[in-house]
Amino acid sequence: MRGRKPQAVAVRRGGADGVVIQADASTVDGITKPGSIAAVPSMSRTWDAIVGHGFGYRESDVPFIAQLVFNVEVANQAFEKCLNEDGTLKLMVPKYNRDGDICGERPNPYIKQANDSAAVALKLADQLGRTPLARARPGLTQNLAGAV
C-alpha cells in the first residue's frame, strides 16, 4: 500500500450524492471489535493497538485477539497492584493470622498473576504474528503481504 494509511474513524465521502459516512471504529477491515472489549476504554485502546488497520486478520481470529487483549489487561492491572504509592515495586505483602493481625510477610500474589497473564499473552501474540520472532518466520510475511 502506498501513501497515507487510512484512519479507522475517518470521515468518508459517499458516492456521487456526497453523503458523508462516518466509519465505524468497532469494525476494521472486516473484523469486528467485540462489544465486551469496546465497552472498556483501556481494553478498546489495547485492541486498537494490536489490530491496527486489521490487515492480515480474519473474523476467525477475533476470539484469539480478544483473549490476547484480556490477558494484556489482566497483566497491566496486576502490575499496577505490584506498585507502592511512590512507584516502587512491592515484592512482599503483609501476612495476616486468623485474628486479622499482621504476623509476617509473604510474596506478592499479583506478581505471579502478572507473569502468568503476560506469558499467555506472549504465546497468543506469537500465534497471531505480533512478535518479532513470529514475523521473521518463513511463510508468515508472504501471508501478510497478500492481505495488503
Side-chain angles (χ1 to χ4, degrees):
M1 177 177 176
R2 292 179 183 230
R4 191 169 151 195
K5 293 182 180 177
Q7 295 179 350
V9 292
V11 176
R12 311 260 193 263
R13 302 284 173 195
D17 56 0
V19 176
V20 176
I21 304 167
Q22 182 70 28
D24 183 9
S26 64
T27 302
V28 178
D29 200 40
I31 63 171
T32 304
K33 184 187 305 184
S36 59
I37 289 177
V40 181
S42 60
M43 290 177 74
S44 183
R45 285 191 300 273
T46 303
W47 174 280
D48 295 340
I50 290 170
V51 172
H53 295 291
F55 297 129
Y57 293 115
R58 295 182 298 271
E59 193 66 32
S60 61
D61 293 332
V62 170
F64 300 109
I65 299 170
Q67 184 66 41
L68 173 60
V69 168
F70 175 78
N71 284 332
V72 168
E73 184 67 20
V74 168
N76 286 339
Q77 288 186 16
F79 178 72
E80 289 174 6
K81 295 279 189 177
C82 293
L83 298 177
N84 289 315
E85 290 80 22
D86 61 353
T88 59
L89 192 59
K90 186 180 353 176
L91 295 176
M92 304 298 279
V93 294
K95 182 179 179 181
Y96 297 95
N97 61 15
R98 292 183 183 177
D99 298 329
D101 298 327
I102 296 175
C103 63
E105 289 185 324
R106 63 186 176 104
N108 191 340
Y110 290 110
I111 293 175
K112 180 175 178 3
Q113 190 169 14
N115 287 338
D116 291 347
S117 294
V120 172
L122 282 172
K123 287 179 185 178
L124 286 168
D126 188 55
Q127 290 296 318
L128 291 167
R130 299 301 300 170
T131 62
L133 182 61
R135 288 190 296 269
R137 282 193 199 112
L140 184 62
T141 54
Q142 289 83 8
N143 290 340
L144 291 177
V148 176

Short mmCIF file of all heavy atoms in Angstrom, two decimals, residues 6 24 37 41 49 58 60 63 70 73 85 102 118 139:
data_model
loop_
_atom_site.label_atom_id
_atom_site.label_comp_id
_atom_site.label_asym_id
_atom_site.label_seq_id
_atom_site.Cartn_x
_atom_site.Cartn_y
_atom_site.Cartn_z
N PRO A 6 -5.11 4.70 5.86
CA PRO A 6 -6.42 5.21 6.23
C PRO A 6 -6.64 5.13 7.73
O PRO A 6 -6.18 4.21 8.39
CB PRO A 6 -7.38 4.28 5.49
CG PRO A 6 -6.61 3.04 5.25
CD PRO A 6 -5.18 3.46 5.11
N ASP A 24 -17.10 3.15 11.17
CA ASP A 24 -17.36 2.52 12.46
C ASP A 24 -16.03 2.06 13.04
O ASP A 24 -15.34 1.25 12.45
CB ASP A 24 -18.31 1.34 12.26
CG ASP A 24 -18.69 0.68 13.56
OD1 ASP A 24 -18.36 1.23 14.63
OD2 ASP A 24 -19.33 -0.38 13.51
N ILE A 37 -15.26 -5.75 24.72
CA ILE A 37 -13.98 -5.04 24.68
C ILE A 37 -14.21 -3.56 24.39
O ILE A 37 -13.57 -2.70 24.98
CB ILE A 37 -13.04 -5.69 23.65
CG1 ILE A 37 -12.60 -7.04 24.20
CG2 ILE A 37 -11.85 -4.81 23.34
CD1 ILE A 37 -11.73 -7.83 23.29
N PRO A 41 -12.72 1.19 28.04
CA PRO A 41 -11.81 2.05 27.27
C PRO A 41 -10.37 1.54 27.19
O PRO A 41 -9.75 1.60 26.13
CB PRO A 41 -11.86 3.39 28.02
CG PRO A 41 -13.17 3.38 28.72
CD PRO A 41 -13.43 1.96 29.07
N ALA A 49 -4.46 -0.93 19.35
CA ALA A 49 -3.01 -1.01 19.19
C ALA A 49 -2.58 -2.34 18.59
O ALA A 49 -1.65 -2.40 17.78
CB ALA A 49 -2.32 -0.81 20.54
N ARG A 58 -8.46 -12.31 10.09
CA ARG A 58 -9.77 -12.76 9.61
C ARG A 58 -10.74 -12.72 10.78
O ARG A 58 -10.35 -12.62 11.93
CB ARG A 58 -9.65 -14.20 9.08
CG ARG A 58 -8.76 -14.32 7.85
CD ARG A 58 -8.73 -15.75 7.34
NE ARG A 58 -8.19 -16.67 8.32
CZ ARG A 58 -6.91 -16.98 8.46
NH1 ARG A 58 -6.02 -16.42 7.66
NH2 ARG A 58 -6.50 -17.84 9.37
N SER A 60 -12.25 -15.10 11.99
CA SER A 60 -11.99 -16.25 12.86
C SER A 60 -10.88 -15.97 13.87
O SER A 60 -10.73 -16.72 14.85
CB SER A 60 -11.63 -17.47 12.01
OG SER A 60 -10.46 -17.22 11.25
N PRO A 63 -11.71 -14.19 18.34
CA PRO A 63 -11.65 -14.72 19.72
C PRO A 63 -10.22 -14.76 20.28
O PRO A 63 -10.02 -14.50 21.47
CB PRO A 63 -12.20 -16.14 19.59
CG PRO A 63 -12.99 -16.15 18.34
CD PRO A 63 -12.35 -15.15 17.44
N PHE A 70 -7.55 -9.38 26.64
CA PHE A 70 -7.91 -9.66 28.02
C PHE A 70 -6.66 -9.95 28.86
O PHE A 70 -6.50 -9.41 29.96
CB PHE A 70 -8.88 -10.83 28.09
CG PHE A 70 -9.21 -11.26 29.48
CD1 PHE A 70 -10.13 -10.54 30.24
CD2 PHE A 70 -8.61 -12.37 30.04
CE1 PHE A 70 -10.43 -10.93 31.53
CE2 PHE A 70 -8.91 -12.77 31.33
CZ PHE A 70 -9.82 -12.04 32.08
N GLU A 73 -4.66 -6.84 29.50
CA GLU A 73 -5.32 -6.01 30.51
C GLU A 73 -5.12 -6.58 31.91
O GLU A 73 -4.86 -5.84 32.86
CB GLU A 73 -6.81 -5.88 30.19
CG GLU A 73 -7.56 -4.96 31.11
CD GLU A 73 -7.15 -3.51 30.99
OE1 GLU A 73 -6.58 -3.12 29.96
OE2 GLU A 73 -7.41 -2.75 31.94
N GLU A 85 2.58 3.31 46.48
CA GLU A 85 2.11 4.66 46.12
C GLU A 85 3.22 5.51 45.52
O GLU A 85 2.98 6.35 44.67
CB GLU A 85 1.50 5.38 47.33
CG GLU A 85 0.19 4.81 47.82
CD GLU A 85 0.37 3.55 48.67
OE1 GLU A 85 1.48 3.35 49.24
OE2 GLU A 85 -0.57 2.76 48.74
N ILE A 102 -1.30 -8.70 61.67
CA ILE A 102 -0.18 -8.96 60.78
C ILE A 102 0.82 -9.85 61.51
O ILE A 102 1.24 -9.56 62.64
CB ILE A 102 0.49 -7.65 60.34
CG1 ILE A 102 -0.48 -6.82 59.52
CG2 ILE A 102 1.77 -7.93 59.55
CD1 ILE A 102 0.04 -5.46 59.14
N ALA A 118 1.04 -12.38 31.31
CA ALA A 118 1.98 -11.93 30.29
C ALA A 118 2.49 -13.10 29.46
O ALA A 118 2.66 -12.99 28.24
CB ALA A 118 3.15 -11.18 30.92
N GLY A 139 7.15 -17.76 5.51
CA GLY A 139 5.75 -18.01 5.19
C GLY A 139 4.80 -17.00 5.78
O GLY A 139 3.78 -16.69 5.19
#
